[in-house]
mmCIF file of all heavy atoms in Angstrom:
data_model
loop_
_atom_site.group_PDB
_atom_site.id
_atom_site.type_symbol
_atom_site.label_atom_id
_atom_site.label_comp_id
_atom_site.label_asym_id
_atom_site.label_seq_id
_atom_site.Cartn_x
_atom_site.Cartn_y
_atom_site.Cartn_z
ATOM 1 N N SER A 302 -21.402 13.001 7.761
ATOM 2 C CA SER A 302 -21.265 12.170 8.957
ATOM 3 C C SER A 302 -21.603 10.732 8.620
ATOM 4 O O SER A 302 -22.568 10.459 7.897
ATOM 5 C CB SER A 302 -22.237 12.633 10.045
ATOM 6 O OG SER A 302 -21.885 13.915 10.471
ATOM 7 N N PHE A 303 -20.775 9.823 9.142
ATOM 8 C CA PHE A 303 -21.020 8.388 9.002
ATOM 9 C C PHE A 303 -21.290 7.846 10.391
ATOM 10 O O PHE A 303 -20.466 8.009 11.288
ATOM 11 C CB PHE A 303 -19.784 7.689 8.415
ATOM 12 C CG PHE A 303 -19.338 8.280 7.104
ATOM 13 C CD1 PHE A 303 -18.165 9.002 7.023
ATOM 14 C CD2 PHE A 303 -20.105 8.120 5.959
ATOM 15 C CE1 PHE A 303 -17.748 9.552 5.815
ATOM 16 C CE2 PHE A 303 -19.691 8.673 4.744
ATOM 17 C CZ PHE A 303 -18.505 9.390 4.680
ATOM 18 N N GLU A 304 -22.436 7.213 10.533
ATOM 19 C CA GLU A 304 -22.722 6.644 11.851
ATOM 20 C C GLU A 304 -21.777 5.494 12.150
ATOM 21 O O GLU A 304 -21.316 4.812 11.242
ATOM 22 C CB GLU A 304 -24.168 6.123 11.875
ATOM 23 C CG GLU A 304 -25.184 7.234 11.983
ATOM 24 C CD GLU A 304 -26.586 6.667 12.114
ATOM 25 O OE1 GLU A 304 -26.992 6.362 13.249
ATOM 26 O OE2 GLU A 304 -27.238 6.518 11.069
ATOM 27 N N PHE A 305 -21.538 5.303 13.426
ATOM 28 C CA PHE A 305 -20.792 4.162 13.975
ATOM 29 C C PHE A 305 -19.295 4.171 13.671
ATOM 30 O O PHE A 305 -18.657 3.128 13.710
ATOM 31 C CB PHE A 305 -21.383 2.810 13.511
ATOM 32 C CG PHE A 305 -22.881 2.764 13.569
ATOM 33 C CD1 PHE A 305 -23.637 2.730 12.406
ATOM 34 C CD2 PHE A 305 -23.529 2.785 14.795
ATOM 35 C CE1 PHE A 305 -25.020 2.698 12.474
ATOM 36 C CE2 PHE A 305 -24.913 2.759 14.863
ATOM 37 C CZ PHE A 305 -25.666 2.719 13.700
ATOM 38 N N ILE A 306 -18.719 5.311 13.356
ATOM 39 C CA ILE A 306 -17.254 5.326 13.235
ATOM 40 C C ILE A 306 -16.656 6.602 13.825
ATOM 41 O O ILE A 306 -17.359 7.571 14.082
ATOM 42 C CB ILE A 306 -16.736 5.160 11.777
ATOM 43 C CG1 ILE A 306 -17.326 6.223 10.868
ATOM 44 C CG2 ILE A 306 -16.985 3.774 11.248
ATOM 45 C CD1 ILE A 306 -16.670 6.182 9.505
ATOM 46 N N GLU A 307 -15.350 6.568 14.017
ATOM 47 C CA GLU A 307 -14.586 7.679 14.554
ATOM 48 C C GLU A 307 -13.930 8.457 13.419
ATOM 49 O O GLU A 307 -13.187 7.871 12.615
ATOM 50 C CB GLU A 307 -13.436 7.114 15.423
ATOM 51 C CG GLU A 307 -13.767 6.983 16.882
ATOM 52 C CD GLU A 307 -14.102 8.323 17.504
ATOM 53 O OE1 GLU A 307 -13.657 9.368 16.978
ATOM 54 O OE2 GLU A 307 -14.818 8.318 18.520
ATOM 55 N N GLY A 308 -14.165 9.754 13.377
ATOM 56 C CA GLY A 308 -13.569 10.583 12.334
ATOM 57 C C GLY A 308 -12.053 10.512 12.309
ATOM 58 O O GLY A 308 -11.429 10.470 11.251
ATOM 59 N N GLU A 309 -11.467 10.467 13.503
ATOM 60 C CA GLU A 309 -9.999 10.488 13.593
ATOM 61 C C GLU A 309 -9.378 9.267 12.905
ATOM 62 O O GLU A 309 -8.399 9.391 12.174
ATOM 63 C CB GLU A 309 -9.546 10.499 15.066
ATOM 64 C CG GLU A 309 -10.180 11.594 15.906
ATOM 65 C CD GLU A 309 -9.710 12.989 15.538
ATOM 66 O OE1 GLU A 309 -8.510 13.137 15.236
ATOM 67 O OE2 GLU A 309 -10.533 13.919 15.548
ATOM 68 N N SER A 310 -9.966 8.089 13.168
ATOM 69 C CA SER A 310 -9.370 6.895 12.547
ATOM 70 C C SER A 310 -9.585 6.915 11.034
ATOM 71 O O SER A 310 -8.730 6.477 10.268
ATOM 72 C CB SER A 310 -9.935 5.609 13.158
ATOM 73 O OG SER A 310 -11.167 5.828 13.778
ATOM 74 N N MET A 311 -10.724 7.503 10.619
ATOM 75 C CA MET A 311 -10.988 7.634 9.184
ATOM 76 C C MET A 311 -9.890 8.474 8.511
ATOM 77 O O MET A 311 -9.388 8.127 7.443
ATOM 78 C CB MET A 311 -12.356 8.311 9.008
ATOM 79 C CG MET A 311 -12.901 8.247 7.616
ATOM 80 S SD MET A 311 -14.673 8.657 7.555
ATOM 81 C CE MET A 311 -14.957 9.826 8.845
ATOM 82 N N LEU A 312 -9.495 9.575 9.170
ATOM 83 C CA LEU A 312 -8.455 10.446 8.604
ATOM 84 C C LEU A 312 -7.136 9.709 8.419
ATOM 85 O O LEU A 312 -6.432 9.922 7.433
ATOM 86 C CB LEU A 312 -8.208 11.654 9.508
ATOM 87 C CG LEU A 312 -9.279 12.735 9.543
ATOM 88 C CD1 LEU A 312 -8.744 13.977 10.245
ATOM 89 C CD2 LEU A 312 -9.747 13.099 8.143
ATOM 90 N N LEU A 313 -6.801 8.841 9.380
ATOM 91 C CA LEU A 313 -5.540 8.096 9.284
ATOM 92 C C LEU A 313 -5.556 7.138 8.101
ATOM 93 O O LEU A 313 -4.581 7.042 7.362
ATOM 94 C CB LEU A 313 -5.272 7.329 10.577
ATOM 95 C CG LEU A 313 -5.028 8.212 11.816
ATOM 96 C CD1 LEU A 313 -4.851 7.360 13.056
ATOM 97 C CD2 LEU A 313 -3.815 9.120 11.597
ATOM 98 N N TRP A 314 -6.681 6.453 7.923
ATOM 99 C CA TRP A 314 -6.787 5.534 6.787
ATOM 100 C C TRP A 314 -6.764 6.288 5.465
ATOM 101 O O TRP A 314 -6.158 5.847 4.492
ATOM 102 C CB TRP A 314 -8.068 4.689 6.887
ATOM 103 C CG TRP A 314 -7.936 3.581 7.891
ATOM 104 C CD1 TRP A 314 -8.421 3.585 9.172
ATOM 105 C CD2 TRP A 314 -7.260 2.331 7.725
ATOM 106 N NE1 TRP A 314 -8.084 2.419 9.806
ATOM 107 C CE2 TRP A 314 -7.380 1.623 8.938
ATOM 108 C CE3 TRP A 314 -6.573 1.747 6.664
ATOM 109 C CZ2 TRP A 314 -6.836 0.357 9.122
ATOM 110 C CZ3 TRP A 314 -6.029 0.488 6.833
ATOM 111 C CH2 TRP A 314 -6.157 -0.207 8.055
ATOM 112 N N LEU A 315 -7.424 7.450 5.428
ATOM 113 C CA LEU A 315 -7.419 8.240 4.193
ATOM 114 C C LEU A 315 -6.013 8.771 3.908
ATOM 115 O O LEU A 315 -5.553 8.780 2.765
ATOM 116 C CB LEU A 315 -8.417 9.406 4.294
ATOM 117 C CG LEU A 315 -9.890 9.004 4.289
ATOM 118 C CD1 LEU A 315 -10.782 10.227 4.507
ATOM 119 C CD2 LEU A 315 -10.280 8.313 2.973
ATOM 120 N N ASP A 316 -5.323 9.182 4.959
ATOM 121 C CA ASP A 316 -3.953 9.679 4.806
ATOM 122 C C ASP A 316 -3.068 8.594 4.203
ATOM 123 O O ASP A 316 -2.213 8.859 3.356
ATOM 124 C CB ASP A 316 -3.426 10.127 6.179
ATOM 125 C CG ASP A 316 -1.998 10.645 6.094
ATOM 126 O OD1 ASP A 316 -1.688 11.334 5.109
ATOM 127 O OD2 ASP A 316 -1.194 10.356 6.992
ATOM 128 N N ASP A 317 -3.314 7.373 4.624
ATOM 129 C CA ASP A 317 -2.543 6.249 4.105
ATOM 130 C C ASP A 317 -2.735 6.084 2.600
ATOM 131 O O ASP A 317 -1.866 5.571 1.899
ATOM 132 C CB ASP A 317 -2.989 4.976 4.850
ATOM 133 C CG ASP A 317 -1.907 3.921 4.792
ATOM 134 O OD1 ASP A 317 -0.750 4.262 5.111
ATOM 135 O OD2 ASP A 317 -2.216 2.778 4.403
ATOM 136 N N GLU A 318 -3.875 6.557 2.111
ATOM 137 C CA GLU A 318 -4.159 6.504 0.665
ATOM 138 C C GLU A 318 -3.772 7.810 -0.027
ATOM 139 O O GLU A 318 -4.081 8.017 -1.200
ATOM 140 C CB GLU A 318 -5.655 6.249 0.430
ATOM 141 C CG GLU A 318 -6.161 4.927 0.978
ATOM 142 C CD GLU A 318 -5.762 3.736 0.103
ATOM 143 O OE1 GLU A 318 -5.274 3.960 -1.026
ATOM 144 O OE2 GLU A 318 -5.937 2.590 0.557
ATOM 145 N N GLY A 319 -3.179 8.724 0.718
ATOM 146 C CA GLY A 319 -2.743 9.999 0.132
ATOM 147 C C GLY A 319 -3.825 11.058 0.085
ATOM 148 O O GLY A 319 -3.664 12.082 -0.575
ATOM 149 N N ILE A 320 -4.951 10.818 0.779
ATOM 150 C CA ILE A 320 -6.046 11.793 0.760
ATOM 151 C C ILE A 320 -5.971 12.694 2.000
ATOM 152 O O ILE A 320 -5.996 12.207 3.127
ATOM 153 C CB ILE A 320 -7.418 11.081 0.705
ATOM 154 C CG1 ILE A 320 -7.514 10.233 -0.570
ATOM 155 C CG2 ILE A 320 -8.562 12.091 0.781
ATOM 156 C CD1 ILE A 320 -8.720 9.298 -0.613
ATOM 157 N N CYS A 321 -5.836 14.008 1.760
ATOM 158 C CA CYS A 321 -5.774 14.975 2.864
ATOM 159 C C CYS A 321 -7.177 15.507 3.113
ATOM 160 O O CYS A 321 -7.742 16.196 2.261
ATOM 161 C CB CYS A 321 -4.886 16.157 2.520
ATOM 162 S SG CYS A 321 -3.272 15.701 1.895
ATOM 163 N N ALA A 322 -7.715 15.195 4.291
ATOM 164 C CA ALA A 322 -9.052 15.649 4.645
ATOM 165 C C ALA A 322 -9.018 16.113 6.086
ATOM 166 O O ALA A 322 -7.957 16.177 6.703
ATOM 167 C CB ALA A 322 -10.054 14.516 4.475
ATOM 168 N N SER A 323 -10.183 16.432 6.624
ATOM 169 C CA SER A 323 -10.225 16.979 7.964
ATOM 170 C C SER A 323 -11.524 16.536 8.637
ATOM 171 O O SER A 323 -12.509 16.233 7.972
ATOM 172 C CB SER A 323 -10.140 18.496 7.814
ATOM 173 O OG SER A 323 -10.591 19.145 8.938
ATOM 174 N N THR A 324 -11.485 16.475 9.963
ATOM 175 C CA THR A 324 -12.746 16.310 10.689
ATOM 176 C C THR A 324 -13.065 17.675 11.240
ATOM 177 O O THR A 324 -12.162 18.357 11.709
ATOM 178 C CB THR A 324 -12.631 15.368 11.904
ATOM 179 O OG1 THR A 324 -11.675 15.914 12.792
ATOM 180 C CG2 THR A 324 -12.271 13.973 11.519
ATOM 181 N N GLY A 325 -14.283 18.102 11.228
ATOM 182 C CA GLY A 325 -14.637 19.409 11.783
ATOM 183 C C GLY A 325 -13.649 20.462 11.322
ATOM 184 O O GLY A 325 -13.404 20.606 10.135
ATOM 185 N N SER A 326 -13.025 21.170 12.246
ATOM 186 C CA SER A 326 -12.052 22.183 11.857
ATOM 187 C C SER A 326 -10.671 21.725 12.267
ATOM 188 O O SER A 326 -10.516 20.891 13.146
ATOM 189 C CB SER A 326 -12.374 23.509 12.531
ATOM 190 O OG SER A 326 -12.175 23.391 13.907
ATOM 191 N N ALA A 327 -9.652 22.322 11.619
ATOM 192 C CA ALA A 327 -8.271 21.938 11.883
ATOM 193 C C ALA A 327 -7.909 22.121 13.360
ATOM 194 O O ALA A 327 -7.110 21.377 13.897
ATOM 195 C CB ALA A 327 -7.330 22.760 11.012
ATOM 196 N N CYS A 328 -8.529 23.105 13.990
ATOM 197 C CA CYS A 328 -8.181 23.418 15.387
ATOM 198 C C CYS A 328 -8.611 22.301 16.318
ATOM 199 O O CYS A 328 -8.019 22.108 17.371
ATOM 200 C CB CYS A 328 -8.863 24.695 15.843
ATOM 201 S SG CYS A 328 -8.933 25.953 14.585
#
Side-chain angles (χ1 to χ4, degrees):
S302 294
F303 304 110
E304 284 184 86
F305 316 111
I306 56 172
E307 267 299 336
E309 307 291 322
S310 21
M311 193 165 32
L312 288 192
L313 295 177
W314 283 100
L315 290 175
D316 180 39
D317 203 50
E318 298 284 349
I320 299 170
C321 310
S323 161
T324 60
S326 67
C328 322

